[in-house]
């Protein structure tokens, strides 16, 4: 049974039932009830009825069962047949028109996939569809394919199940409606989450030392906390495997395209590296982000974000430079810096505290080293173009001198 057949059947039964004052039921070609004017009180085709009329719609067949009116009035089969045909034609035209949900979903799908339309035009259309884009928004991408696939192949079931997930999202964030959520196909639901500090206050802990130097990464920690809480709620509501990708905030309405690309990349890489039922974000993927991302500017942004807590700590950057030059051996690093090993240990602990990455651990060490190299190359490129680097970073030459990272 197609979704369109279902919608036409619902419209026909309700309208004819109201006009004739009689109970009306539509059966599909398998004799299953598609719709009834009195839900829960469907007519049986094997019971003697005044009328049993054929129904044809886009190559699908069915039957319209009309009971005797409550007032006992006799029905003219020819008149009722004409009425059914008229109602079917009208309902078919309406069913073929996109409804508000479909228009909104298409708008969000096109927006996230980088439509080339003028931003002012997009803002107007979004406003008509009830979407407020005056506040900064970032994309939370929900992979609900496991939940949606469990309904089988009936074409009308997948969108309805997607709407159940959207309703859960609306309830979780206490939204007035679902206008900023849409099923975009492929088992994925996009949430255009308002991401200002006020909107994320419930998940914000200012002690985390997040840097405000790069606005695309601001409040990302709070977004990840919100995503983790949302994941718990969705898994409880659906009893299915769910994964979430978090995108950064990017300025302007067209920035949602970049936020979606962030979330999509994080979700794709994260599922392969860390598995299902988790929240994935670019800055939580470790070395995989630097290897798996194809966009160089995103990798440079990620490197700058990871190292931003050290921007005002040139001594710690010098320590890292020496640590990697000495293949991560504490004794030789302390000798190179002319400091005590306890002092080196203190500095490495401080680096770990500020960045969340421990240079003494292999994966973290490789991640820091790659981030340093990318940021140094970017600074060198900016310098060659006549721009001044904004932070003190080790030179690319010094970082290239230590091809191996080993534990010390």
């Amino acid at each position: 049974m197609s979704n369109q057949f279902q919608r036409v059947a619902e419209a026909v039964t309700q309208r004819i039932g109201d006009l004739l004052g009689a109970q009306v039921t539509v059966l599909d070609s398998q004799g299953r009830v598609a719709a009834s004017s009195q839900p829960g009180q469907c007519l049986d085709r094997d019971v003697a009825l005044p009328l049993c009329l054929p129904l044809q719609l886009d190559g699908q067949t069915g039957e319209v069962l009309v009971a005797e009116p409550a007032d006992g009035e006799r029905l003219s089969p020819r008149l009722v047949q004409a009425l059914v045909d008229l109602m079917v034609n009208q309902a078919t035209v309406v069913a073929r028109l996109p409804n508000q949900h479909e228009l909104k979903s298409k708008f969000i799908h096109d927006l996230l996939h980088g439509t080339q339309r003028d931003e002012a035009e997009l803002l107007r259309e979004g406003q008509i569809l009830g979407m407020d884009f005056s506040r900064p928004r970032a994309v939370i991408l929900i992979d609900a394919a496991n939940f949606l696939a469990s309904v089988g192949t009936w074409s009308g079931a997948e969108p309805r199940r997607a709407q159940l997930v959207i309703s859960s999202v609306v309830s979780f964030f206490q939204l007035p409606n679902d206008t900023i959520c849409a099923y975009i196909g492929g088992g994925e639901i996009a949430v255009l989450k308002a991401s200002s500090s006020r909107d994320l206050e419930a998940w914000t802990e200012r002690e985390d030392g997040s840097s405000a130097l790069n606005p695309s990464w601001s409040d990302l920690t709070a977004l990840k906390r919100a995503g983790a809480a949302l994941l718990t709620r969705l898994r409880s509501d659906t009893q299915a495997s769910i994964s979430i990708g978090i995108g950064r905030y990017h300025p302007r309405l067209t920035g949602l395209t970049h936020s979606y690309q962030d979330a999509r990349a994080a979700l794709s890489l994260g599922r392969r590296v860390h598995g299902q039922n988790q929240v994935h974000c670019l800055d939580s993927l470790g070395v995989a982000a630097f290897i798996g991302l194809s966009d160089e500017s995103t990798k440079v942004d990620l490197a700058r974000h990871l190292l931003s807590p050290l921007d005002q700590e040139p001594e710690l950057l010098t320590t890292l430079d020496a640590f990697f030059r000495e293949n991560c051996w504490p004794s030789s690093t302390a000798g190179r810096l002319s400091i005590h090993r306890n002092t080196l240990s203190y500095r490495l602990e401080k680096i770990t505290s500020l960045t969340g990455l421990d240079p003494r651990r292999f994966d973290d060490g490789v991640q820091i080293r790659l981030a340093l190299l990318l940021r140094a190359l970017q600074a060198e490129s900016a310098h060659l173009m006549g721009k001044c680097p904004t932070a003190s970073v080790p030179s690319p030459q010094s970082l290239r001198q230590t091809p191996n990272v080993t534990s010390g």
Side-chain angles (χ1 to χ4, degrees):
M1 185 192 310
S2 70
N3 192 34
Q4 184 171 316
F5 187 95
Q6 178 77 27
R7 288 164 61 182
V8 170
E10 291 172 354
V12 167
T13 53
Q14 192 60 52
R15 186 66 175 142
I16 295 179
D18 291 342
L19 288 173
L20 299 180
Q23 184 178 351
V24 181
T25 297
V26 171
L27 305 179
D28 66 10
S29 59
Q30 304 299 317
R32 298 172 300 191
V33 175
S36 175
S37 60
Q38 298 180 29
Q41 301 181 24
C42 302
L43 299 174
D44 190 331
R45 64 183 298 178
D46 295 327
V47 176
L49 296 168
L51 291 174
C52 180
L53 306 171
L55 173 64
Q56 292 188 347
L57 176 63
D58 288 345
Q60 297 186 71
T61 60
E63 292 177 308
V64 181
L65 310 182
V66 184
E68 183 177 342
D71 59 8
E73 181 181 355
R74 293 182 61 83
L75 298 176
S76 165
R78 182 177 298 178
L79 177 61
V80 176
Q81 180 68 67
L83 182 60
V84 168
D85 292 341
L86 177 62
M87 291 297 103
V88 168
N89 289 335
Q90 289 183 347
T92 301
V93 171
V94 173
R96 286 172 176 167
L97 294 174
N99 60 28
Q100 183 82 353
H101 279 293
E102 291 170 339
L103 288 171
K104 179 198 67 179
S105 296
K106 184 179 186 306
F107 175 84
I108 292 178
H109 176 277
D110 292 347
L111 178 63
L112 297 183
H113 286 82
T115 178
Q116 299 300 313
R117 292 160 58 192
D118 179 71
E119 184 160 329
E121 180 185 349
L122 290 172
L123 284 170
R124 285 194 298 271
E125 185 173 340
Q127 188 175 28
I128 292 172
L129 293 171
M131 301 182 203
D132 177 15
F133 290 114
S134 63
R135 297 151 73 183
R137 294 188 181 276
V139 174
I140 297 177
L141 190 61
I142 302 168
D143 172 17
N146 181 269
F147 176 65
L148 302 184
S150 63
V151 300
T153 59
W154 179 37
S155 61
E158 186 172 307
R160 293 190 181 191
R161 280 222 160 185
Q163 194 59 42
L164 291 176
V165 177
I166 290 174
S167 297
S168 187
V169 172
V170 170
S171 174
F172 175 80
F173 285 122
Q174 299 181 351
L175 303 174
N177 52 56
D178 63 357
T179 54
I180 51 87
C181 309
Y183 178 52
I184 59 175
E188 294 180 346
I189 293 161
V191 182
L192 312 186
K193 178 70 182 76
S195 56
S196 68
S197 298
R198 184 182 66 180
D199 295 310
L200 298 171
E201 186 175 1
W203 301 280
T204 300
E205 294 180 7
R206 286 304 169 193
E207 296 80 12
D208 60 18
S210 56
S211 171
L213 294 177
N214 188 339
S216 73
W217 298 95
S218 61
D219 292 309
L220 189 58
T221 301
L223 263 175
K224 288 190 289 186
R225 290 196 188 101
L230 174 62
L231 178 62
T232 300
R233 170 66 176 272
L234 292 178
R235 293 207 63 210
S236 174
D237 288 351
T238 65
Q239 296 297 305
S241 176
I242 300 282
S243 297
I244 291 179
I246 303 291
R248 295 174 288 165
Y249 162 72
H250 293 266
R252 303 173 62 87
L253 180 58
T254 51
L256 284 169
T257 301
H258 302 296
S259 185
Y260 169 72
Q261 290 169 350
D262 285 349
R264 190 73 190 84
L267 189 58
S268 177
L269 286 171
R271 283 180 308 206
R272 281 183 283 167
V273 176
H274 300 300
Q276 300 279 359
N277 300 317
Q278 296 190 52
V279 174
H280 306 291
C281 189
L282 291 179
D283 68 340
S284 304
L285 295 178
V287 178
F290 292 108
I291 297 174
L293 288 174
S294 59
D295 184 67
E296 291 299 321
S297 64
T298 300
K299 288 195 281 192
V300 170
D301 281 348
L302 176 59
R304 295 178 62 189
H305 168 65
L306 294 175
L307 298 174
S308 60
L310 305 180
D311 283 348
Q312 307 304 317
E313 301 283 350
E315 184 179 66
L316 298 183
L317 288 169
T318 300
T319 300
L320 281 173
D321 183 28
F323 189 61
F324 291 129
R325 280 174 178 254
E326 297 298 327
N327 279 330
C328 304
W329 286 99
S331 298
S332 57
T333 302
R336 186 183 191 93
L337 295 170
S338 300
I339 59 176
H340 194 276
R341 280 195 59 170
N342 289 345
T343 303
L344 174 63
S345 179
Y346 167 77
R347 291 183 184 180
L348 295 177
E349 288 291 345
K350 187 174 182 181
I351 290 169
T352 302
S353 175
L354 291 173
T355 65
L357 300 171
D358 187 346
R360 293 162 294 190
R361 297 181 57 195
F362 180 81
D363 285 350
D364 288 359
V366 172
Q367 191 175 353
I368 293 173
R369 188 169 181 275
L370 288 173
L372 285 168
L373 179 59
L374 281 168
R375 197 169 73 158
L377 289 171
Q378 189 269 341
E380 183 179 62
S381 176
H383 178 73
L384 292 174
M385 294 176 64
K387 300 177 182 179
C388 296
T390 58
S392 173
V393 295
S395 68
Q397 291 79 10
S398 68
L399 290 170
R400 294 191 189 107
Q401 292 175 3
T402 54
N404 297 314
V405 178
T406 58
S407 58

